[in-house]
Amino acid sequence: MLNLKYLSDSCLVRNRKGIFLFLAGNSALYEIDCASGSEFSDVQLSELANLISAKIENENQKTLKQRGLPNTSVSALNLNLTDKCNLACVYCYAKGGNYSRIMREMSPEDSVKAVRNAFMASDIKRDFRVEFFGGEPLLNFPAFEAASDELSEIEKSLNGNRKIVRRVSTNLTELTPEMLEFFSKVPFIFSVSIDGDQLAQNSQRPFKNGSPSWEPIIENLEKIREVCPESIIVARITVYQQDKRLYEIVNEIADKNLFDYASIYPAAVEGENHFTAAFRENYLKIAQNYSKLLSRGRFSGILELNRFCEGILGRKVALNHCRAGNGYFTASPDGSVHPCHRLVGDESWNLGSFDISEKLLSQWQVKVDERQKCSECQIRYFCGGGCRQESLKSTGSLVGNSPKICAFSKLLFEAAMNVCTSINEVSESKLYKFSKISEELFVFCGQPLADRMQPDTIFPETIDFHGSVMRLKRICFKC
C-alpha cells in the first residue's frame, strides 16, 4: 500500500519498494537510497526536498516562461454532425444529442466547409486533428463521409509534412456494411461510449425504446477489429451507478481484447456527486494492479492515468488542462463555433469563427501558474488546473477551483505514483508507446504538454545530508 504525504512543494511517497520524493518544481520523481543505512523522518525528508527545490527554483522559473505558450491557430476541430441519438443515457449532458438548442443535422456541404475553414486557420507546425461528434455522428453518415473525404484531399496536399488524425466519438450501435467498408480504407481512432460490462451498459445506456444496447455494440466492435486490426479503440466509461464494481469492469474490458485503452470519468450530473469513496477505492485498486492489467493482450491502460504517468516518467509538464479555447473548437450544424463541445448549448459562447484571438477566449488561455490557488499546488503541472467547463459550471468562473475537480486530479496523481513506483518492463513498455501517440489520442481534449528542464544538471546524484550520503535515482522512461 502506498503512503503519500504532501509537503510544501513536493510529495513524499513510501511503499514496500522504498522511499520516493516527488518535486513539483520540475515534476520529477526520485527514489531515495540512504547509503549509510540511516532512517530519516518525514520532517527531515521534507528538509531535503526544500534543499533540492531551492537549487532548481531559479532555473525552473526561467524555463517556465518558455513553456506552454498559447496557440495562435487551430490545432483541432470537433465536428458536431447531428442532434440525433438512438440511446437514452441516464446522465447525458448533451440533453439527448441536441444540447437543448440545436435541432438539426449538418449537411455534407457544411461539414466540408467547416473542415476547410478550420484547416485554413490551422497551425502549420502541428498535425491537424478532427473529432467526429454528435449526437451520434454515424447517424449522419453522408456528412461524416464528405468531411472525411475532404480531409483525405487535404492530406494529399501536405505531401507527408503534416498528419491528419481522425477520431470518432460513437456509441457504435449503428454499423452498416457501407460504413464498415469505409473504415477498412480510412484510418480512424474509435472512442466507443460503453460503460463497462453488460449490466452497467444496459442499465445506463439503453436504446430509447428501452431495449439493451450491449450485444449490438460488442458485435460491431468485433467487426471493426476484424477489418481494422491496427485501429486504436478506446472504451469511454462514464461511472454513474457502477462505482463499486469499477475494478471488476476494467478487468473485463481488458479481457475482451477489443480495446486498446479505457477513458474513465465520474458522471457530471447537476446536483449529484459520482466521485464517491467506492470510485476512489476501485481506481486505486486498478493502479495497484496496473502492471498485471497491462500484461493482458492489447490493453494498454487508462488514458488519463497514462497521461499523469507520462508527466512523471517522460519529463513533461502541462500548463493548461486542455486545448479548448486554445486551439480546439467545435463547429455545429447551425454554423456556431464554440471553444468547448460541452458548451454547444450555450449561445453566449458562440464565437462564430475560428479566431484564436477572440477576447472571449482570454480566460481559456490563462496558464496554471497564473491561477493563485493552482500555483501553490504540488500537482499543478499534471492537471493544468482541471476542466474549465466543469469549473464554470460549479464555481461560475472558468478559472475557479472546484473541490471535486481537485479531488479527481489528486486521485489520478496518487494512482500514477502507485504505477510509477512499482513499474515493470511490460507496463513501462506500454506506457512508453502511449507517450509516443498520446497527442493523437487527444487525452484531456488535447492537453498541451511541454518538455521540462533536465533536473540532473542542477544538482548531483549524491548529496551529503546530515552526515549521511543520500543518493537520488530519478524514475523515468528507460526505453
Side-chain angles (χ1 to χ4, degrees), residues 239-302:
V239 181
Y240 184 68
Q241 296 168 332
Q242 76 277 42
D243 51 339
K244 295 178 181 177
R245 299 175 47 248
L246 182 60
Y247 176 73
E248 173 190 337
I249 282 170
V250 171
N251 275 273
E252 181 164 336
I253 286 291
D255 285 340
K256 285 288 181 189
N257 208 32
L258 293 169
F259 299 96
D260 299 277
Y261 298 97
S263 175
I264 301 173
Y265 284 93
V269 180
E270 200 77 37
E272 297 182 27
N273 180 20
H274 296 281
F275 183 80
T276 63
F279 176 88
R280 174 183 168 78
E281 179 184 344
N282 274 260
Y283 205 102
L284 290 177
K285 188 175 181 181
I286 291 167
Q288 289 156 10
N289 292 276
Y290 216 50
S291 293
K292 189 182 297 184
L293 190 66
L294 266 57
S295 68
R296 302 183 193 175
R298 67 188 305 138
F299 189 72
S300 297
I302 300 168

Side-chain angles (χ1 to χ4, degrees), residues 32-51:
I32 298 176
D33 175 27
C34 304
S36 65
S38 300
E39 289 291 332
F40 289 91
S41 67
D42 288 359
V43 173
Q44 289 172 316
L45 291 173
S46 178
E47 181 187 340
L48 175 65
N50 291 336
L51 174 67

Side-chain angles (χ1 to χ4, degrees), residues 167-200:
R167 185 174 184 270
V168 54
S169 185
T170 174
N171 60 37
L172 207 64
T173 55
E174 295 286 326
L175 187 66
T176 65
E178 178 190 9
M179 294 175 190
L180 196 59
E181 182 181 3
F182 172 81
F183 287 130
S184 71
K185 298 175 181 177
V186 183
F188 266 83
I189 295 170
F190 297 86
S191 177
V192 180
S193 299
I194 186 167
D195 284 352
D197 57 11
Q198 188 168 359
L199 174 63

Side-chain angles (χ1 to χ4, degrees), residues 305-324:
L305 177 53
N306 283 11
R307 189 62 147 180
F308 271 55
C309 291
E310 180 183 4
I312 295 169
L313 301 173
R315 306 171 185 171
K316 301 289 184 181
V317 293
L319 293 190
N320 210 328
H321 176 72
C322 71
R323 290 193 187 276

Side-chain angles (χ1 to χ4, degrees), residues 190-233:
F190 297 86
S191 177
V192 180
S193 299
I194 186 167
D195 284 352
D197 57 11
Q198 188 168 359
L199 174 63
Q201 176 68 16
N202 290 340
S203 63
Q204 296 183 180
R205 299 179 62 85
F207 282 104
K208 286 188 172 175
N209 64 6
S211 62
S213 60
W214 167 261
E215 286 189 8
I217 294 173
I218 295 300
E219 288 175 7
N220 289 336
L221 278 165
E222 290 170 346
K223 291 175 184 177
I224 289 287
R225 266 287 162 245
E226 184 177 353
V227 302
C228 312
E230 301 304 316
S231 290
I232 293 173
I233 302 178

